[in-house]
Amino acid sequence: MIPEDLTQSQFDTVYNLLSLVIASQLFTAVFLVLVLPRVLPRYRQALVIAAVVCGIAAYHYFRIFDSFKDAFVTDAVGGRGTYTQAEGASFNEGYRYVDWLLTVPLLLVELIAVLALARKVQTSLLWKLVPAATLMILLGYPGEISTSDNVRVLWGVLSTIPFIFILYVLFVELTKSLDRQPAQVRTLISRLRILLLASWLVYPIAYALPLLGISGADAWVLKQGGYSIADIAAKAVYALIIYRIARLKSYADDPAFARIEEGHEPLEEAKVPRKPR
Amino acid sequence: MIPEDLTQSQFDTVYNLLSLVIASQLFTAVFLVLVLPRVLPRYRQALVIAAVVCGIAAYHYFRIFDSFKDAFVTDAVGGRGTYTQAEGASFNEGYRYVDWLLTVPLLLVELIAVLALARKVQTSLLWKLVPAATLMILLGYPGEISTSDNVRVLWGVLSTIPFIFILYVLFVELTKSLDRQPAQVRTLISRLRILLLASWLVYPIAYALPLLGISGADAWVLKQGGYSIADIAAKAVYALIIYRIARLKSYADDPAFARIEEGHEPLEEAKVPRKPR
C-alpha cells in the first residue's frame, strides 16, 4: 500500500530513484549491445541475455515510474508542496513480480552461459536453477498482494525454499565445475555470487517489512529505494561483471584476439590452467 | 526554486537551450556509435562509454525539458504572454544530480580508457577517480535541495574536497603516465583537461548563486543556460575530443590502418616515441 501523504523530498527521492533505475538499465543494455563484438562468439549469448534482462527491467521501470507519478496529486507551486493519494489511480506494486518472473531465471541463465561449461554440466545446472527461480517468484506473489499477515508468512516461507535451493546450487554444485576457469574468472564469479546474494536479500527484507509493523511514508520510501538499488545491482552491475568475465575468458581462449583488443599479450593471471586431456 | 514568473523571451530561451542539449547529446551518441569501426578495437571501449554518457544525458534532458514545460502555465495567445508557476507541478532540479551520479564517473573512465595505459596504471587511476567523482556528486546533493544557506555551504565545501583530489590526479599523477603518448595526443589531452576544468567550474558557480543573493528570473535563466552549455561541453564536445585522440592513436599504432582510413601515411607528429622495452 502506498502512504497517504508524501513530502516534497520524499516524492522527489522516489521519483529520482525510479528514474535512476531506468537510466541504469536502459544504458547498460545499450552498452552490452555495443560491446558484443568485443568478446568471442561463444560468450555472446551471455551478453545478449544480459542486455535483454536490462531492457526488460527498463521497460517495467518506465511503467512503475508512470504508475508512481499518477498515484499522487500535489498542491505544489514552484517546486514545494505536499503529495496526497490521487483518486482513481493506484501504484501497482505487482509489476515488480511480472519483471522478476522474466528476469530472475534469465539472470541465472546468463551466469551459466558465460562460464561455457561442458554441455552436460550446463544442462544439469539450468534444469535446477530455472524452475527453482520461477517457483520462487510465483510463490512470493500471493503473499505480496495479500493484506493478511498469515498469508504473507505462509507464501514467504514457501518462496524461501527454492531460494535456498538456488543458493545451494550456486555456492556448492557450481563451485565443483569451476576448476577449468582462469584464476581471475574464479575471483569474479565469487564476487558475482556475493553481489547476487546481497542484492537478492533486499527482496525478502522488503517483503517482511509489513510483518515487522514497519509502515508509514519513510518506510515506504526506504523500501522503494531498497528495491531500486537492489535491481540496479542484481541486473546492471551484475551484467557488467558478466561482461568482464566474458572478456577475460575471450583473452584466455585466444591470445591473438587479446592482442588485437588490448594492443598487448593477455595478462599472466588471465591464462587458463589447462588440464591434460 | 523556479521563479514566480517568466517573460515570453525568458521561457523561450530556457526551452530552446534545453532542447539544444537534447539534440547535441543524442546525436553525438549516434555519431559515436557510427564511427566505432573507424578506430582500432583497443580504443572502442572509450567510444562506447562516451556514447553511453551522451545517451544518458539525452535521456535526463528529455525529463528536465518535460518537467520545465509542465512547471509553467501561460496566458500567451499567438506566441506572446507571461508564464507563471503551474499548480500541481514542480521543476525537478534534482534530476541533474541523478544524471551526474552516472555520467561524471564515466567521463573519467572514458578518458583513462582512451589512453590505453598499462593495466596497472589504469587500475590505480580509476580506483582514485571513480570513487572521488561519485563522492563529489553525492556530497553536493544535500546542499542543492536544502533551503538553508549554512547547509548549502557545508555540503558545498565537503563536495569540493573530492573535486580538488580529482584535479590533482588528472593534472599531476596522470601527466607522469603520458610520456608514451604521441605528441599530438599529449596536446589534445591538455586541451581536454582544460575543457573539463572550465566546464566543471560552471557547476560550483551555479551552486553558489543562491549564497551570493543572486536570484530572480534572470539569474535562474542564466543558471539554466550555464548548466546547459557546461553539459554540452563536458559530455558532447569532450566525447568528440576523445574520438580524435582514439583516431590519432589508432593511426600511430597501425600505419596500415591509417593508410586505409586516410589514403596516406599518418602525419609525422602522430607517431609514438617508442621506448626500448
Side-chain angles (χ1 to χ4, degrees):
Chain A
M1 288 290 281
I2 59 170
E4 299 265 320
D5 304 288
L6 290 179
T7 65
Q8 184 71 45
S9 315
Q10 286 171 333
F11 182 85
D12 284 352
T13 303
V14 175
Y15 189 96
N16 290 342
L17 276 169
L18 294 178
S19 175
L20 176 70
V21 182
I22 294 176
S24 308
Q25 307 285 11
L26 187 60
F27 289 96
T28 303
V30 170
F31 174 83
L32 292 167
V33 171
L34 292 175
V35 296
L36 214 47
R38 307 202 68 214
V39 301
L40 291 180
R42 68 194 69 151
Y43 301 115
R44 287 181 195 161
Q45 178 84 335
L47 293 202
V48 169
I49 297 169
V52 165
V53 165
C54 291
I56 293 173
Y59 164 77
H60 284 114
Y61 265 86
F62 270 111
R63 292 234 178 266
I64 292 171
F65 183 84
D66 285 345
S67 168
F68 167 72
K69 257 196 341 187
D70 295 344
F72 289 93
V73 283
T74 174
D75 57 3
V77 177
R80 285 281 138 192
T82 309
Y83 289 75
T84 47
Q85 292 181 355
E87 256 178 85
S90 72
F91 181 62
N92 184 350
E93 194 81 83
Y95 254 135
R96 299 188 180 279
Y97 281 79
V98 184
D99 180 69
W100 297 336
L101 188 62
L102 291 170
T103 55
V104 172
L106 288 175
L107 284 170
L108 297 167
V109 176
E110 195 180 315
L111 171 62
I112 301 304
V114 84
L115 297 177
L117 303 169
R119 175 68 66 187
K120 237 177 107 177
V121 180
Q122 187 169 320
T123 310
S124 147
L125 286 168
L126 286 178
W127 271 105
K128 287 169 190 165
L129 291 170
V130 171
T134 310
L135 206 63
M136 175 175 79
I137 305 300
L138 287 177
L139 291 173
Y141 184 67
E144 178 67 48
I145 59 167
S146 165
T147 47
S148 147
D149 272 8
N150 289 339
V151 174
R152 210 175 175 84
V153 170
L154 172 70
W155 292 104
V157 169
L158 287 176
S159 172
T160 305
I161 301 169
F163 177 52
I164 290 171
F165 177 69
I166 292 169
L167 294 183
Y168 167 78
V169 174
L170 288 183
F171 283 86
V172 181
E173 290 208 6
L174 180 63
T175 308
K176 294 177 201 155
S177 319
L178 295 181
D179 52 339
R180 288 263 193 102
Q181 307 290 329
Q184 267 193 319
V185 169
R186 283 205 301 273
T187 311
L188 280 175
I189 291 166
S190 294
R191 275 192 218 154
L192 200 67
R193 288 187 296 200
I194 289 161
L195 175 77
L196 192 140
L197 180 61
S199 55
W200 285 24
L201 276 178
V202 171
Y203 305 109
I205 292 169
Y207 182 93
L209 284 181
L211 299 174
L212 303 170
I214 298 168
S215 62
D218 272 335
W220 189 80
V221 170
L222 193 71
K223 179 176 154 182
Q224 298 307 318
Y227 275 149
S228 300
I229 303 300
D231 275 342
I232 292 174
K235 296 187 181 106
V237 178
Y238 184 89
L240 295 177
I241 301 178
I242 293 278
Y243 168 57
R244 181 101 188 99
I245 293 175
R247 289 275 287 171
L248 285 172
K249 285 172 67 77
S250 297
Y251 291 179
D253 290 359
D254 184 350
F257 178 78
R259 264 196 308 278
I260 292 167
E261 287 287 319
E262 293 283 298
H264 53 70
E265 287 285 327
L267 297 169
E268 202 52 44
E269 66 263 42
K271 285 190 181 149
V272 199
R274 292 260 176 230
K275 281 192 179 169
R277 299 194 183 195
Chain B
M1 289 286 280
I2 58 171
E4 299 264 321
D5 304 288
L6 290 179
T7 65
Q8 184 72 44
S9 318
Q10 287 170 333
F11 183 85
D12 285 352
T13 303
V14 175
Y15 188 97
N16 291 341
L17 277 169
L18 294 178
S19 175
L20 176 70
V21 183
I22 295 176
S24 309
Q25 307 286 12
L26 187 58
F27 289 97
T28 303
V30 170
F31 173 82
L32 292 167
V33 170
L34 293 175
V35 297
L36 216 46
R38 307 203 67 212
V39 302
L40 290 181
R42 69 194 66 152
Y43 302 116
R44 287 182 196 160
Q45 179 83 333
L47 294 201
V48 168
I49 296 170
V52 164
V53 166
C54 291
I56 293 173
Y59 163 78
H60 283 116
Y61 266 87
F62 271 111
R63 290 233 181 262
I64 292 171
F65 184 83
D66 285 346
S67 169
F68 168 71
K69 258 193 343 186
D70 294 345
F72 289 93
V73 283
T74 177
D75 57 3
V77 176
R80 282 284 135 192
T82 309
Y83 289 74
T84 48
Q85 292 179 353
E87 253 180 87
S90 70
F91 181 61
N92 185 348
E93 195 81 81
Y95 252 136
R96 300 189 180 278
Y97 281 79
V98 183
D99 179 68
W100 297 335
L101 187 63
L102 292 171
T103 55
V104 172
L106 288 176
L107 285 170
L108 298 168
V109 176
E110 194 180 317
L111 171 62
I112 302 304
V114 84
L115 298 176
L117 304 169
R119 172 72 65 189
K120 241 177 107 175
V121 180
Q122 186 170 320
T123 310
S124 148
L125 286 168
L126 287 178
W127 271 105
K128 287 170 190 166
L129 291 170
V130 171
T134 310
L135 206 63
M136 176 175 77
I137 306 300
L138 287 178
L139 292 173
Y141 185 68
E144 178 69 48
I145 59 166
S146 165
T147 48
S148 146
D149 272 8
N150 289 338
V151 174
R152 212 178 175 82
V153 170
L154 172 70
W155 291 104
V157 169
L158 287 176
S159 173
T160 306
I161 301 169
F163 177 53
I164 290 170
F165 177 70
I166 291 170
L167 293 183
Y168 168 76
V169 175
L170 287 183
F171 283 87
V172 180
E173 291 210 3
L174 180 63
T175 309
K176 296 177 199 151
S177 318
L178 295 181
D179 53 339
R180 288 261 193 105
Q181 307 289 330
Q184 267 193 319
V185 168
R186 282 205 301 273
T187 311
L188 280 174
I189 290 165
S190 294
R191 276 193 218 152
L192 200 66
R193 288 188 295 200
I194 288 161
L195 175 77
L196 191 141
L197 180 60
S199 56
W200 285 23
L201 277 178
V202 172
Y203 305 110
I205 292 169
Y207 181 94
L209 284 182
L211 298 173
L212 303 170
I214 298 168
S215 62
D218 272 335
W220 189 80
V221 170
L222 193 71
K223 178 175 156 184
Q224 298 309 316
Y227 275 149
S228 299
I229 303 301
D231 274 343
I232 292 175
K235 297 187 181 106
V237 177
Y238 183 89
L240 296 176
I241 300 178
I242 293 278
Y243 169 57
R244 181 96 191 106
I245 294 175
R247 290 275 287 173
L248 284 172
K249 284 173 68 76
S250 296
Y251 291 1
D253 290 359
D254 186 349
F257 179 79
R259 265 196 306 280
I260 293 165
E261 287 285 319
E262 294 285 299
H264 55 70
E265 285 287 326
L267 297 168
E268 201 51 46
E269 67 264 41
K271 283 190 182 148
V272 198
R274 291 259 176 234
K275 280 192 180 168
R277 298 192 186 198

